[in-house]
Structure formats: structure tokens, C-alpha cells
């Protein structure tokens, strides 16, 4: 029984477990407090290892060239011996941070780890950094009642010529406040066909008819090694799938976005690419001055619907290609 209790106590020391574990008869460990203690110990260990690294660097600068060459040969031989005996070393987060920083300045093959391992460490660090946002309480829309859902389905089935906007208006008369997007989602989930389209072509038809003179722009983010977020603005010509202009900044503002529009107009004049329509979403960073610069070049500005990335599908697909083909294979330091 005592051996089982010791095993349970060892399991309780693992961070990330939030339940209370009893050891023996009286002693209880609160594992959440223990996890905070371990986080503090990791921080102190990182500071201690950085201090040791700075002292070692100072000692290395004061030594002669012959002593450094002998030390390098001895360390290489020790590493070769450890490679024969240890298949996978156990590293602390501070060890990974130091090795990742030193590995950027060394040629391939000088460390115990491959470049793919360094990239994997960075992806895990970014994932843990953003995982804290998942712990916040989620405050979404309240769930729809069964009575309202059945009423929407009844109106859609009994009135086949009514669209989501018409159903929304009828529900307002009955005292229900529901968005047209919610009504459209309910009808789609229950396989109720939509009303005939009477307000012009779809977005896909519109883009296919004017693809040769349409410019699409959008933002996407990149996380650096130091966990800073860079905002990248790209402009895509839909007809040729060319990236006409791109730039990034850690602090996007309306003035910065307007300046990028002016730089884009200079590129368009150099490439002799006439643009008649510019598409972007309803992000607050796209201010009125940004649209005025584009209109000054003879382009009409069209805003995509709310929460509808499919309306700017060409730009979204290009951003996915940039991530898969380039950014996922790099460690980004700064702009």
C-alpha cells in the first residue's frame, strides 16, 4: 500500500493536472499551486543558465586561441561519446531556448538536433503561448430555442419564395430578433432549399466575370521567435494570381494602411495594370482614406459581407499557400 501511494504522489507532481490527489491518510497536494511553482522554477533555471552562458562567453574571450582549439576538440569528442550512449537527451525549456539561439549561427551537423527539431520547438512554443486564450470563458451567442427554430423551418417550408431577409422581417413582426445569417444556417442544416435569387449574380459569378480587373487585399499574422505578432498586408490580382505588393508591421494603423495603398498605386503604374475593382473585408484598419486612394486610381471599392471569408476566397487561398510553402519552414525574427 505504501508503494502505491508513492507512485500516486509521483504522478501528482506532473503539471497540467488540476485535481486534488491524496497521499497516505492526511497529506494532500494541490496540483494547480504546484504547477505555478514549477513555472517559477523553470524561469529561475532559465535565468541561471543564461548567466552561466554569459560567464562562459567572458571566459572564452579571455582565453588564447590554442586553449580554445583544444577545448573545442575535447568538447567534440565528448559529444561523440554521448551520441553513442544517449539516444534522446532530456532537455529543459531553457536548454531548448539556448540551443535554438546558438543553432542559428552554426552550420548544419554541429548540434545534436536537426533543423526540423528546432522548427518543431518553435511551433510548440507558439502553440503553448496561444493556448492560454482557450482557458478564458467563452461568451458566445445564446442558444436558439426549439420554438424559434421550428417557426423558421415552418416559414421556410410553407413559403418557398421567401428568402432569409423576408423571413427575418416576418419574425421581427412577431417579436423575434434573429439575424439573416442565423436563419440561413438553420434552413441549410435542415435541407430547406433557398428561395430563387432575384438580387443579381452570386459572388462567384461576379468574380469570374470581372477577374481580369479585380484587386483583392487582406491581412494575415506571423508569430516571430520572440512571440511578437507581425501583421502582413498583401494585394493580389485575381486575374493573373500575382502578388502586386506586400508589407508587414507589428503595429498596423489607418495611416500605415493608407500609405501602403499609395505604394500600391505606384506599383500599378509601373506594371501598367489597370484595376477597376478592389475587394477587402470590413476590418477597421481599412479606413476611408485607404478607399479614397484606390478610388483616386479609378477603382471601385467593394466590401465583403460580415464573417464571409469565401467572398475573398482567392486571397485566402494565396495566404494558405504562403504559409505552407514558405512561412512554416522558417523561423521569423523581425520584419
Amino acid at each position: 500500500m505504501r508503494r502505491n501511494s508513492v507512485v500516486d504522489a509521483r504522478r501528482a507532481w506532473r503539471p497540467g493536472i488540476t485535481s486534488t490527489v491524496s497521499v497516505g491518510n492526511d497529506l494532500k497536494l494541490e496540483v494547480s499551486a504546484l504547477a505555478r511553482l514549477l513555472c517559477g522554477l523553470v524561469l529561475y533555471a532559465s535565468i541561471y543558465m543564461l548567466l552561466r552562458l554569459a560567464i562562459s562567453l567572458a571566459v572564452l574571450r579571455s582565453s588564447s586561441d590554442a586553449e580554445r582549439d583544444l577545448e573545442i576538440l575535447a568538447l567534440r569528442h565528448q559529444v561523440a561519446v554521448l551520441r553513442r550512449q544517449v539516444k534522446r537527451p532530456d532537455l529543459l525549456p531553457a536548454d531548448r531556448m539556448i540551443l535554438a539561439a546558438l543553432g542559428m549561427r552554426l552550420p548544419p551537423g554541429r548540434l545534436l538536433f536537426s533543423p526540423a527539431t528546432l522548427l518543431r520547438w518553435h511551433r510548440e512554443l507558439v502553440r503553448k503561448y496561444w493556448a492560454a486564450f482557450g482557458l478564458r470563458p467563452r461568451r458566445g451567442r445564446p442558444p436558439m430555442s426549439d420554438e424559434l427554430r421550428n417557426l423558421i423551418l415552418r416559414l421556410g417550408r410553407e413559403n418557398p419564395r421567401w428568402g432569409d431577409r423576408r423571413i427575418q422581417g416576418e419574425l421581427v413582426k412577431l417579436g423575434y430578433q434573429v439575424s439573416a445569417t442565423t436563419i440561413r444556417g438553420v434552413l441549410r442544416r435542415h435541407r430547406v432549399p433557398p428561395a430563387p435569387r432575384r438580387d443579381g449574380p452570386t459572388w462567384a459569378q461576379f468574380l469570374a466575370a470581372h477577374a481580369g480587373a479585380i484587386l483583392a487585399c487582406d491581412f494575415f499574422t506571423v508569430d516571430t521567435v520572440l512571440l511578437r505578432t507581425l501583421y502582413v498586408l498583401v494585394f493580389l490580382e485575381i486575374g493573373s494570381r500575382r502578388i502586386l505588393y506586400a508589407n508587414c508591421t507589428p503595429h498596423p494603423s489607418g495611416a500605415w494602411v493608407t500609405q501602403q495603398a499609395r505604394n500600391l498605386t505606384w506599383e500599378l503604374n509601373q506594371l501598367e495594370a489597370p484595376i477597376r475593382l478592389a475587394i477587402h473585408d470590413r476590418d477597421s484598419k481599412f479606413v476611408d482614406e485607404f478607399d479614397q486612394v484606390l478610388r483616386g486610381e479609378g477603382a471601385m471599392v467593394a466590401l465583403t459581407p460580415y464573417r464571409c471569408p469565401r467572398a475573398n476566397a482567392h486571397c485566402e487561398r494565396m495566404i494558405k499557400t504562403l504559409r505552407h510553402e514558405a512561412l512554416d519552414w522558417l523561423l521569423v525574427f523581425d520584419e
Side-chain angles (χ1 to χ4, degrees), residues 134-194:
L135 301 178
R136 298 181 302 173
R138 297 184 178 181
R139 301 178 178 87
R141 295 181 179 179
M144 183 183 300
S145 62
D146 296 337
E147 179 185 0
L148 179 56
R149 185 182 299 106
N150 295 333
L151 182 58
I152 293 174
L153 294 175
R154 180 181 175 184
L155 291 176
R157 288 166 179 163
E158 295 181 357
N159 303 275
R161 297 184 62 85
W162 286 7
D164 49 6
R165 297 288 182 180
R166 178 66 183 276
I167 296 177
Q168 181 188 19
E170 297 297 330
L171 291 176
V172 170
K173 297 177 183 178
L174 298 177
Y176 295 100
Q177 296 290 337
V178 187
S179 65
T181 305
T182 303
I183 297 173
R184 189 183 308 117
V186 171
L187 297 177
R188 185 178 301 171
R189 283 194 300 270
H190 291 81
R191 305 294 180 89
V192 178

Side-chain angles (χ1 to χ4, degrees), residues 40-303:
L41 293 177
V42 170
L43 178 61
Y44 294 146
S46 303
I47 297 175
Y48 173 70
M49 295 188 69
L50 290 175
L51 182 61
R52 287 187 55 186
L53 188 64
I55 295 175
S56 301
L57 183 61
V59 173
L60 185 63
R61 289 183 176 274
S62 62
S63 60
S64 61
D65 295 339
E67 292 179 357
R68 274 182 278 181
D69 294 340
L70 290 176
E71 185 177 0
I72 290 173
L73 291 176
L75 291 176
R76 286 185 177 180
H77 184 70
Q78 293 177 16
V79 170
V81 172
L82 291 176
R83 282 182 175 178
R84 293 197 302 264
Q85 297 179 359
V86 180
K87 299 298 181 182
R88 186 174 181 180
D90 188 11
L91 300 178
L92 296 175
D95 298 327
R96 296 181 179 181
M97 178 181 63
I98 294 175
L99 291 175
L102 296 178
M104 297 297 102
R105 299 289 182 176
L106 294 177
R110 295 298 177 85
L111 291 178
L112 290 171
F113 314 99
S114 63
T117 304
L118 299 180
L119 292 172
R120 179 173 57 83
W121 290 349
H122 180 253
R123 288 196 300 268
E124 293 176 356
L125 182 61
V126 173
R127 188 182 305 112
K128 292 179 181 178
Y129 175 76
W130 289 108
F133 289 88
L135 301 178
R136 298 181 302 173
R138 297 184 178 181
R139 301 178 178 87
R141 295 181 179 179
M144 183 183 300
S145 62
D146 296 337
E147 179 185 0
L148 179 56
R149 185 182 299 106
N150 295 333
L151 182 58
I152 293 174
L153 294 175
R154 180 181 175 184
L155 291 176
R157 288 166 179 163
E158 295 181 357
N159 303 275
R161 297 184 62 85
W162 286 7
D164 49 6
R165 297 288 182 180
R166 178 66 183 276
I167 296 177
Q168 181 188 19
E170 297 297 330
L171 291 176
V172 170
K173 297 177 183 178
L174 298 177
Y176 295 100
Q177 296 290 337
V178 187
S179 65
T181 305
T182 303
I183 297 173
R184 189 183 308 117
V186 171
L187 297 177
R188 185 178 301 171
R189 283 194 300 270
H190 291 81
R191 305 294 180 89
V192 178
R197 180 176 293 274
R198 296 181 296 272
D199 54 352
T202 63
W203 269 99
Q205 296 170 350
F206 179 78
L207 294 178
H210 302 82
I214 293 180
L215 177 72
C217 60
D218 199 359
F219 275 96
F220 70 96
T221 60
V222 178
D223 293 310
T224 65
V225 175
L226 301 179
L227 300 180
R228 294 181 60 195
T229 301
L230 297 179
Y231 295 85
V232 185
L233 176 63
V234 291
F235 294 89
L236 175 71
E237 185 183 16
I238 294 181
S240 61
R241 301 296 197 274
R242 291 186 302 173
I243 299 179
L244 299 180
Y245 183 76
N247 204 349
C248 65
T249 180
H251 304 290
S253 60
W256 183 86
V257 174
T258 304
Q259 182 60 40
Q260 305 315 307
R262 298 190 184 99
N263 298 340
L264 171 69
T265 57
W266 185 82
E267 292 289 340
L268 293 177
N269 295 330
Q270 295 292 326
L271 297 175
E272 297 181 357
I275 298 298
R276 297 182 180 178
L277 179 65
I279 298 176
H280 63 78
D281 55 16
R282 300 175 183 269
D283 196 333
S284 59
K285 293 185 285 292
F286 295 114
V287 294
D288 295 337
E289 289 79 5
F290 175 84
D291 295 340
Q292 292 175 3
V293 173
L294 296 178
R295 293 191 183 100
E297 296 296 321
M300 182 178 65
V301 179
L303 304 181

